[in-house]
């Protein structure tokens, strides 16, 4: 797979690019000879390797405990994009250090979505392609060895306080912490206790391994953070090999160093963790376990999209309580949901690129994403005529004009107005047509130019007709519109424009219409920031976020493959649903309208 291109003229400039460019010029923190042995490993392993052919190494390190959402797209595109633009490699690393929440289902889904966005963890150097797909759990042996080194060096200890005691002794932002009574044990005692933890001789939660840094540090993250805890759980990759597992803040820096990451890019909530990141790697490098130069961590502002929630807890609640149909519900901000809805990888990447990269968290209005989708599909989505809320139009002089009601007059339209290579759509004009119910008013409002008694309107790609009235049922509901064809007004024929009309409407022949289910999706929430303050976000779900109609499609849409995009003329952009669409039972999803109509 090749990465999406990004030529020099369109590279967005930001502080991360400035850092990387300074590093590559030899003026930044990326100093020293950097070797890479072809796979992750310790200092000895990489010391025997060749000079790293990658100018930089970044990584996208998801935890496989849920489905990726639109917020992850920012991190994916940023890390893979920087590696692409600076002659580097981006690793896909599963940060699978928590055995209780991780499943193979999520691993597979994450790989699928990263590839769908257009990125690859494979890299080619000197004619050879290598994979850079890694699992943090494969580093458990080294992490354990590193922990023993810290203990032996007097930089870590086993703490047997209860969680409540540790919390109380940690202090707060105004009060320094209190040393644990177990903090001054000898390295030998701590090492013996840690090995007992490893061998399963103590119950879950009985003790933890902590770094010995500074309980009075103004940065609470440096007040002897936990490194290992006892947790008996079967791991998706290592099974029951371990009953102790590393904490994320301990594992994450080590993973970066073993993989020779140069720029460890993460979101702002990890900024306060950076001092510990550096402390840990420096101590392990000083001990000869990790190779220099070491990775450096840099933080960027998270991308928040309005009218969605991205909290894993809230997304799971939506699914488990049945507010949506699943993780791939087209209203969900998960990437699988957005793909099913019809958003394209190109539109998501364009949104991310346009949002910029700064050191502050930002909110992006949902309309920006829709705008990016329109920009992408406008030039490539084939057009089609579809009637979403059908009302019968009877042409009462059809036989007089064509000699018989059995006649079918051929009509044509371009598949795309600017792409002649896509060919044309062929359909026919008959005595009864389907039009949109909103295209008729018995008593027109001011400025209404479509069908009403006495008014002439053009049927797009067909004829001008003059409305003569309507039919109603016993309850007074309109069941059909009546009209006559104005002769010699067929679109594309000489003299067709002799009669000027202000209204143009789309139609589908009743004799050849394809019946289909069309799902009209809208934003899942009615407010820009659901759940703000003390409000239950569930109460802000948009009751009109999904409206299902039985539509009539033009015959060119019969048997189109699932996942095909179209512009339904007048209505917007749609896609044949990837799950429920069948040749004999079409199902289409509305992605977005032709213009932003939210709240209007």
């Amino acid at each position: 797979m090749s990465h999406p291109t990004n030529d020099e003229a369109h590279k967005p400039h930001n502080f991360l690019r400035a850092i990387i460019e300074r590093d590559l010029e030899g003026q930044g923190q990326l100093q020293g000879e950097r070797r890479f042995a072809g796979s992750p490993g310790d200092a000895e392993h990489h010391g025997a390797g060749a000079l790293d052919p990658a100018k930089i190494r970044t990584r996208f390190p998801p935890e496989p405990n849920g489905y990726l959402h639109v917020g992850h797209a920012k991190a994916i595109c940023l890390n893979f994009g920087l590696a692409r633009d600076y002659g580097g490699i981006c690793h896909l690393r599963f940060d699978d250090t928590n055995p209780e929440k991780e499943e193979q289902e999520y691993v597979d889904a994450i790989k699928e979505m990263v590839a769908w966005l257009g990125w690859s963890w494979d890299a080619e150097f000197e004619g050879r392609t290598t994979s850079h797909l890694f699992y943090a759990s494969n580093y458990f042996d080294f992490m354990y060895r590193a922990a023993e080194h810290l203990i032996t060096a007097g930089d870590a200890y086993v703490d047997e306080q209860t969680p409540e005691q540790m919390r109380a002794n940690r202090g707060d932002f105004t009060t320094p912490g209190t040393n644990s009574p177990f903090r001054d044990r000898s390295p030998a005692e701590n090492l013996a206790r840690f090995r007992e933890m490893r061998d399963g001789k103590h119950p879950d939660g009985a003790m933890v391994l902590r770094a010995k840094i500074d309980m009075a540090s103004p940065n609470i993250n440096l007040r002897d953070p936990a490194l290992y805890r006892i947790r008996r759980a079967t791991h998706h990759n290592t099974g029951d090999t371990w009953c102790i597992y590393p904490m994320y803040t301990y594992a994450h820096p080590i993973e970066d160093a073993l993989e020779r990451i140069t720029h460890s890019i993460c979101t702002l909530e990890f900024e306060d963790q950076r001092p510990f990141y550096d402390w840990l790697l420096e101590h392990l490098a000083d001990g000869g376990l990790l190779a220099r130069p070491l990775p450096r961590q840099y933080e960027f502002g998270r991308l928040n999209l309005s009218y969605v929630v991205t909290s894993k807890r809230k997304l799971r609640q939506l699914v488990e309580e049945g507010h949506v149909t699943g993780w791939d519900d087209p209203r969900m901000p998960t990437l699988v949901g957005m793909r099913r809805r019809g958003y394209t990888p190109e539109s998501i990447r364009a949104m991310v690129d346009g949002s910029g990269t700064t050191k502050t968290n930002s909110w992006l209005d949902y309309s920006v994403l829709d705008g990016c989708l329109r920009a992408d599909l406008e030039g490539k989505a084939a057009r089609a005529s579809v009637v979403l809320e059908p009302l019968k139009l009877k042409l009462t002089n059809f036989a007089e004009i064509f000699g018989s009601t059995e006649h079918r007059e051929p009509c044509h339209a371009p598949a795309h107005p600017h792409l002649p290579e896509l060919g044309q759509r062929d359909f026919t004009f008959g005595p009864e047509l389907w039009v949109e119910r909103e295209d008729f008013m018995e008593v027109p409002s001011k400025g209404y130019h479509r069908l009403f008694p006495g008014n002439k309107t053009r049927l797009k790609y067909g004829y001008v007709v003059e409305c003569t009235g309507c039919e109603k049922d016993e309850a007074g509901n309109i069941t059909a519109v009546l009209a006559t064809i104005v002769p010699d007004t067929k679109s594309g024929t000489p003299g067709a424009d002799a009669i000027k009309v202000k209204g143009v409407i789309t139609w589908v022949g009743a004799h050849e219409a394809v019946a289909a289910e069309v799902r009209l999706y809208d934003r899942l929430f009615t407010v820009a920031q659901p759940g703000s303050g003390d409000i239950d976000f569930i109460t802000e779900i948009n009751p009109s976020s999904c409206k299902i109609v039985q539509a009539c499609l033009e015959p060119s849409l019969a048997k189109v493959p699932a996942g095909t995009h179209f512009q339904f003329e007048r209505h917007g952009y749609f896609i044949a649903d990837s799950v429920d669409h069948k040749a004999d039972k079409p199902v289409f999803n509305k992605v977005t309208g032709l213009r932003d109509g939210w709240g209007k």
Side-chain angles (χ1 to χ4, degrees):
M1 181 196 301
S2 60
H3 290 314
T5 59
N6 189 14
D7 58 50
E8 287 289 333
H10 293 91
K11 281 184 182 178
H13 192 74
N14 56 58
F15 77 98
L16 290 174
R17 290 182 179 275
I19 289 170
I20 292 172
E21 289 167 8
R22 187 172 65 248
D23 287 345
L24 293 178
E25 291 169 358
Q27 301 173 10
Q29 301 189 54
L30 193 60
Q31 303 290 334
E33 187 178 77
R34 190 164 50 84
R35 295 180 175 274
F36 184 73
S39 60
D42 60 11
E44 181 181 3
H45 174 74
H46 287 301
L51 291 176
D52 193 346
K55 292 183 179 179
I56 66 169
R57 287 183 183 269
T58 61
R59 82 288 177 271
F60 174 59
E63 231 185 315
N65 63 357
Y67 286 86
L68 298 181
H69 54 66
V70 65
H72 291 115
K74 173 87 172 186
I76 294 170
C77 294
L78 183 60
N79 280 285
F80 279 94
L82 289 171
R84 170 201 61 194
D85 292 345
Y86 291 100
I89 297 173
C90 183
H91 300 184
L92 175 60
R93 177 208 306 148
F94 287 100
D95 218 319
D96 56 347
T97 55
N98 187 341
E100 295 175 299
K101 297 182 179 180
E102 292 148 4
E103 299 178 17
Q104 188 63 39
E105 170 191 357
Y106 299 133
V107 170
D108 296 339
I110 289 169
K111 290 163 61 178
E112 182 182 2
M113 286 300 99
V114 172
W116 175 72
L117 278 176
W119 304 106
S120 174
W121 46 89
D122 292 340
E124 184 174 329
F125 284 101
E126 300 177 350
R128 191 170 58 128
T129 300
T130 55
S131 173
H132 296 82
L133 173 65
F134 303 119
Y135 294 83
S137 55
N138 288 335
Y139 311 148
F140 280 169
D141 287 342
F142 178 87
M143 291 177 189
Y144 178 82
R145 178 158 65 98
E148 286 207 348
H149 167 79
L150 292 173
I151 294 171
T152 302
D155 294 319
Y157 64 98
V158 173
D159 193 351
E160 297 180 43
Q161 294 182 97
T162 66
E164 293 74 21
Q165 289 171 327
M166 278 190 278
R167 197 156 35 242
N169 290 335
R170 192 184 188 196
D172 54 32
F173 290 108
T174 59
T175 308
T178 302
N179 285 350
S180 165
F182 302 96
R183 197 174 193 267
D184 295 325
R185 271 178 171 165
S186 70
E189 289 177 291
N190 281 311
L191 188 60
R193 213 63 168 154
F194 187 53
R195 289 175 175 173
E196 289 175 7
M197 289 171 59
R198 177 200 62 189
D199 295 337
K201 295 183 178 179
H202 300 283
D204 289 9
M207 53 191 69
V208 297
L209 180 69
R210 298 177 72 178
K212 185 187 287 188
I213 306 179
D214 181 5
M215 287 300 292
S217 171
N219 184 340
I220 291 181
N221 296 289
L222 293 179
R223 295 181 186 178
D224 294 6
L227 308 181
Y228 264 91
R229 80 282 198 198
I230 304 172
R231 183 77 73 234
R232 287 171 175 80
T234 302
H235 190 280
H236 81 100
N237 185 27
T238 60
D240 296 317
T241 301
W242 297 91
C243 65
I244 57 171
Y245 288 95
M247 306 299 290
Y248 176 82
T249 51
Y250 171 74
H252 165 228
I254 291 176
E255 295 156 17
D256 284 347
L258 293 176
E259 295 177 18
R260 304 299 277 139
I261 298 302
T262 59
H263 300 81
S264 180
I265 300 167
C266 51
T267 46
L268 281 174
E269 63 264 33
F270 294 100
E271 183 175 20
D272 289 343
Q273 294 285 355
R274 192 188 335 134
F276 174 69
Y277 183 103
D278 295 338
W279 179 93
L280 176 62
L281 295 187
E282 288 291 343
H283 278 70
L284 295 181
D286 287 346
L289 277 73
L290 295 176
R292 295 182 185 274
L294 296 168
R296 297 296 179 187
Q297 177 178 301
Y298 303 97
E299 305 85 21
F300 69 96
R302 181 187 296 274
L303 171 64
N304 298 293
L305 193 64
S306 64
Y307 295 97
V308 303
V309 294
T310 54
S311 155
K312 288 181 180 178
R313 177 186 62 80
K314 291 181 178 179
L315 292 175
R316 186 175 298 280
Q317 184 179 347
L318 288 171
V319 173
E320 293 179 348
E321 293 182 1
H323 301 290
V324 293
T325 59
W327 291 101
D328 67 344
D329 186 300
R331 295 166 293 177
M332 288 280 276
T334 54
L335 293 181
V336 289
M338 296 177 73
R339 177 179 65 175
R340 185 176 176 187
R341 171 79 168 263
Y343 289 102
T344 61
E346 294 83 356
S347 65
I348 295 174
R349 293 198 305 266
M351 176 195 68
V352 168
D353 288 346
S355 69
T357 301
T358 67
K359 295 183 179 181
T360 57
N361 292 326
S362 62
W363 280 89
L364 194 67
D365 193 81
Y366 199 97
S367 62
V368 174
L369 173 60
D370 283 342
C372 291
L373 180 78
R374 294 186 197 102
D376 180 40
L377 293 183
E378 166 61 28
K380 61 187 182 186
R383 276 39 172 179
S385 293
V386 173
V387 176
L388 298 180
E389 296 188 56
L391 176 63
K392 184 70 65 69
L393 172 63
K394 295 181 178 181
L395 303 175
T396 56
N397 66 337
F398 189 90
E400 178 184 338
I401 298 293
F402 296 107
S404 169
T405 56
E406 301 302 315
H407 176 79
R408 298 294 179 262
E409 181 68 11
C411 295
H412 313 284
H416 192 289
H418 306 299
L419 299 176
E421 63 271 22
L422 295 184
Q424 68 178 18
R425 301 136 55 196
D426 298 313
F427 43 92
T428 57
F429 191 79
E432 294 188 349
L433 312 173
W434 293 113
V435 297
E436 292 290 349
R437 185 165 292 276
E438 66 177 19
D439 286 344
F440 173 75
M441 293 185 72
E442 193 170 12
V443 179
S445 57
K446 184 178 180 180
Y448 189 83
H449 300 298
R450 286 167 274 173
L451 295 170
F452 60 86
N455 191 50
K456 292 184 177 68
T457 306
R458 175 165 290 283
L459 302 178
K460 194 173 186 180
Y461 311 121
Y463 289 79
V464 172
V465 298
E466 181 175 355
C467 180
T468 58
C470 63
E471 295 178 350
K472 299 180 180 181
D473 60 19
E474 294 180 355
N477 299 310
I478 297 170
T479 57
V481 179
L482 305 176
T484 57
I485 302 168
V486 178
D488 302 321
T489 58
K490 183 180 180 182
S491 296
T493 62
D497 295 330
I499 296 180
K500 304 298 183 182
V501 296
K502 292 184 178 181
V504 180
I505 64 174
T506 50
W507 56 276
V508 174
H511 56 283
E512 62 183 3
V514 177
E517 177 180 302
V518 175
R519 298 165 180 173
L520 304 176
Y521 289 110
D522 211 328
R523 298 175 190 184
L524 185 55
F525 294 95
T526 58
V527 297
Q529 298 182 26
S532 296
D534 297 327
I535 299 174
D536 181 0
F537 78 107
I538 294 296
T539 65
E540 297 173 321
I541 291 177
N542 178 9
S544 302
S545 61
C546 179
K547 178 183 177 183
I548 299 176
V549 298
Q550 301 303 314
C552 295
L553 319 181
E554 70 170 59
S556 70
L557 294 180
K559 300 182 179 179
V560 299
T564 307
H565 285 92
F566 291 92
Q567 184 193 105
F568 289 177
E569 296 186 1
R570 294 177 57 191
H571 297 300
Y573 292 98
F574 292 72
I575 188 173
D577 186 74
S578 59
V579 176
D580 297 327
H581 178 83
K582 303 291 185 295
D584 59 345
K585 189 180 178 183
V587 177
F588 286 85
N589 301 330
K590 181 179 180 181
V591 197
T592 189
L594 295 176
R595 60 187 61 84
D596 182 25
W598 176 253
K600 297 178 183 177

